[in-house]
Amino acid sequence: MSFHIGDIELQSRFFLGTAGYPSPQVLQQAIAASGAQVVTVGLKRQLAQGGAPGDFYRLIQQSGARLLPNTAGCRTAREAVTLAKMARELFATNWIKLEVVGDEYTLQPDPFELVQAAAELVREGFEVFPYCTDDLVSCQRLLDAGCRILMPWGAPIGSGRGLLNPHALRLLRARLPDVPLVVDAGIGSPRDAVQAMELGFDAVLLNSAVAQAHDPVAMARAFKLGIEAGRIAWEAGIMVPQDLAVATTPVTGRPFVL
């Protein structure tokens, strides 16, 4: 079940967001129940709420997970690059989830600013995890900029709509077979996570579906099991749908005589 992000080997294919939990204790329990080895944090959100990044970093260290800071809330490449450098200083990691929003209604990534920021951050030595759309050409441009992983959306952030365009995601997987792909945003239930993994994606990142659940800890475990099941199914070989009925028991045309 393991896979690599750059030089790092991960056993868990579940990336978990950390916003909106009822308490730090519930967040810690949810991380443990999820088995996630990578958790994300929005630096702008932490600073706006008056939280101390050092305190949050210690909480993550106690969980044993790797921290993936993000540039959520940025609208330009310049702003995202500045925030990424700040995150590297505060959290002592070169990993950054790059978000540059181009539309206020859908929070859709701006493909032009995103590529510009990615290229600069790669030159600065960051491992860039770009949050992008499922457009193949935009994804290729990010790879050309030096990204080694892509995080296409399933649906708009926080919408819980699941995978709105499975065809586009399937095409990405087929055309970029050697690139780690993580479905990020829009996941609403473990069913959506299973579907993403059955398409051959390497991991799933989500936040709201766990944090806003009546029981975040139980939901985290449910997603963990769904992600594992979907990956095992992909590796085992999923049955191809048929238009007509296909008999599962051979028919000889002769009755059995006992």
Side-chain angles (χ1 to χ4, degrees):
M1 286 285 288
S2 66
F3 74 115
H4 287 81
I5 298 295
D7 300 325
I8 303 299
E9 182 178 7
L10 298 173
Q11 301 299 320
S12 172
R13 295 174 182 270
F14 190 177
F15 293 13
L16 186 63
T18 57
Y21 287 81
S23 70
Q25 292 73 27
V26 172
L27 171 59
Q28 284 182 312
Q29 293 168 9
I31 294 173
S34 73
Q37 292 178 285
V38 177
V39 298
T40 66
V41 58
L43 183 57
K44 271 195 170 186
R45 183 182 297 111
Q46 285 294 117
L47 297 178
Q49 293 176 349
D55 293 340
F56 184 86
Y57 189 31
R58 282 190 290 273
L59 185 153
I60 300 305
Q61 284 182 315
Q62 292 171 5
S63 75
R66 293 181 64 89
L67 187 64
L68 177 60
N70 69 42
T71 62
C74 291
R75 300 297 188 269
T76 66
R78 180 186 296 273
E79 186 182 9
V81 168
T82 299
L83 194 63
K85 291 179 178 179
M86 185 184 304
R88 181 164 62 181
E89 292 298 319
L90 289 171
F91 296 117
T93 179
N94 70 327
W95 281 21
I96 192 72
K97 181 189 173 190
L98 180 60
E99 299 185 32
V100 186
V101 170
D103 180 71
E104 296 296 330
Y105 181 74
T106 63
L107 300 182
Q108 180 172 327
D110 183 321
F112 306 102
E113 295 289 317
L114 191 65
V115 170
Q116 180 182 334
E120 183 171 345
L121 289 172
V122 168
R123 288 194 297 268
E124 293 283 345
F126 283 87
E127 186 74 69
V128 179
F129 295 62
Y131 167 59
C132 54
T133 66
D134 51 20
D135 178 74
L136 177 61
V137 175
S138 295
C139 287
Q140 187 60 62
R141 294 296 176 267
L142 288 166
L143 296 175
D144 294 341
C147 297
R148 300 193 291 180
I149 180 173
L150 298 172
M151 306 183 77
W153 67 354
I157 293 174
S159 68
R161 297 290 303 277
L163 308 188
L164 293 182
N165 194 344
H167 172 74
L169 295 174
R170 187 179 294 108
L171 180 63
L172 280 182
R173 180 71 289 172
R175 295 296 302 274
L176 306 173
D178 300 321
V179 178
L181 298 177
V182 180
V183 171
D184 177 13
I187 299 294
S189 76
R191 173 186 58 192
D192 303 327
V194 171
Q195 183 183 14
M197 300 306 292
E198 287 185 347
L199 289 175
F201 277 71
D202 296 282
V204 170
L205 191 158
L206 59 97
N207 185 170
S208 300
V210 170
Q212 297 178 13
H214 175 70
D215 186 340
V217 178
M219 187 61 76
R221 182 169 181 271
F223 270 104
K224 174 180 183 291
L225 296 174
I227 290 168
E228 291 177 354
R231 182 64 190 186
I232 293 171
W234 163 258
E235 293 176 347
I238 298 169
M239 177 181 177
V240 177
Q242 305 289 330
D243 291 331
L244 300 175
V246 178
T248 58
T249 303
V251 178
T252 63
R254 297 180 181 179
F256 287 98
V257 178
L258 299 180

